[in-house]
Structures are given as structure tokens and as C-alpha cells.
Amino acid sequence: MKKKKKWLSSVDLLMIAVIAAIGAVLSSLVINPIVRALNIASPFVSMWPGALHLFAVIMGGLIVRKPGATMFTALLNGLLQMLFGNPSGALCILYGFGNGLGSEIAFSSARYRPKVWITMLASGCGTVTAFFIDLIYWFSDFTFGFKVLYLVDSFFAGSIVCGLISWGVFRALERAGVVNRK
């Protein structure tokens, strides 16, 4: 039986780069305008499509399934979003760090197994850590109760929207033979 290597190979790094680039383009040019338009109504409404910013990060963790893959995908995604013209600028890297930290902790605690509940947990945790930055930078005037409600809502938005969509795409790629579930 061949032992799985724990470090990221060149194929893993290339896969992460492709996933991060696709995610950065989608986040900067598609998801971000929708989120900004909905943010006028309410930040609680805009976080539901905003949870899709985490899609590439979760896909990187599901496909590569090695320590550091999720964090590396998130940081590269944030850097590329900044370069592709995301209006948040350098904050994209900080959001990437938040996305990666929460997701990496969840994936590592489950030993990177591809399961729907782990994907939903990683998506929820990644969204909470990134949206915590929102509370500091954008919504510092929220009361404590609204901040707690915002984080709870962000966990459910990440788990449901990003977690289930990521899981569905992963299963479709798996059925098509693009990724191996072992």
C-alpha cells in the first residue's frame, strides 16, 4: 500500500493555482457586484451570495485534501482578486486569510475526508472567520447582539450556500472521473 505524501506536490500546487484563479475571477467579476448591490438592502441579505466567495477555497480543500492546501488556495485567491480589480483591494488578502484559517481548521480536524458535513462545516467556519473582518472593518457600529446574529447568519449562509454548492460540484467532478475520492 502506497503511503500518501503530506506535502504539496507540483501537481497539487498547479491545481490550487487554477482553482484560485477561477475563483478570483468569479468573485471579482460576478459575485462581488451582486453582493455590493444587495448590501444596500441589508448586510444580512448580502452575505448569502457573499458566501460564494469561499467556493474556490473549499474546492481546493476538497480536491487536494492535504494540510495547507485550503490556506494556500485562500491566500492565492485573495491576492488574485486584488490583482483582478476587486474593489476591496488589499483587504482581499486579509479576507483570504480569514477564509483559509476557518476552513483549514475544519478540514484538518476531520483529516481532510471528503464528506458533505465536513464540507458544510468548513464552509461555515471559513465564512465566519472572514465575515468577522466585516464586523471590524465595515460594521464596527453594530451592537453586540447584531454582531452575534451576523456571525450566526454567516455560518449558516456559508454552510448552506457554499457548502452544498461546493459538495455538489465536487461530486459531479468525482462522477466524471476528474477527481479521485480515495
Side-chain angles (χ1 to χ4, degrees):
M1 190 163 99
K2 195 174 184 181
K3 187 175 180 181
K4 187 177 180 181
K5 295 178 183 176
K6 293 207 182 235
W7 62 85
L8 297 172
S9 68
S10 57
V11 173
D12 295 334
L13 293 173
L14 182 60
M15 184 66 69
I16 287 169
V18 169
I19 293 168
I22 292 169
V25 169
L26 288 174
S27 289
S28 295
L29 302 177
V30 178
I31 299 167
N32 210 38
I34 293 168
V35 170
R36 290 194 181 273
L38 290 174
N39 204 21
I40 294 169
S42 168
F44 292 96
V45 173
S46 68
M47 79 173 50
W48 287 83
L52 286 174
H53 281 295
L54 194 67
F55 174 74
V57 176
I58 298 301
M59 290 307 296
L62 280 172
I63 292 172
V64 177
R65 291 193 305 264
K66 290 182 182 175
T70 309
M71 180 62 89
F72 188 60
T73 305
L75 289 172
L76 186 57
N77 184 349
L79 175 66
L80 291 173
Q81 279 188 55
M82 181 185 75
L83 295 176
F84 289 146
N86 190 318
S88 296
L91 273 177
C92 292
I93 298 170
L94 185 59
Y95 280 115
F97 178 76
N99 285 332
L101 180 65
S103 300
E104 188 74 44
I105 289 169
F107 274 132
S108 67
S109 68
R111 294 191 298 229
Y112 301 94
R113 290 186 307 251
K115 306 265 186 211
V116 68
W117 69 270
I118 295 168
T119 304
M120 291 178 74
L121 178 67
S123 298
C125 291
T127 306
V128 166
T129 52
F131 283 5
F132 187 76
I133 297 164
D134 279 353
L135 292 178
I136 294 169
Y137 192 76
W138 301 106
F139 307 122
S140 60
D141 57 340
F142 275 15
T143 64
F144 179 76
F146 273 113
K147 288 180 180 181
V148 170
L149 182 62
Y150 188 79
L151 292 177
V152 169
D153 193 31
S154 70
F155 179 82
F156 285 110
S159 296
I160 293 168
V161 174
C162 184
L164 291 178
I165 290 174
S166 298
W167 181 253
V169 170
F170 174 73
R171 292 289 292 161
L173 291 172
E174 186 179 65
R175 274 187 245 113
V178 176
V179 296
N180 189 358
R181 192 165 186 190
K182 293 178 185 175

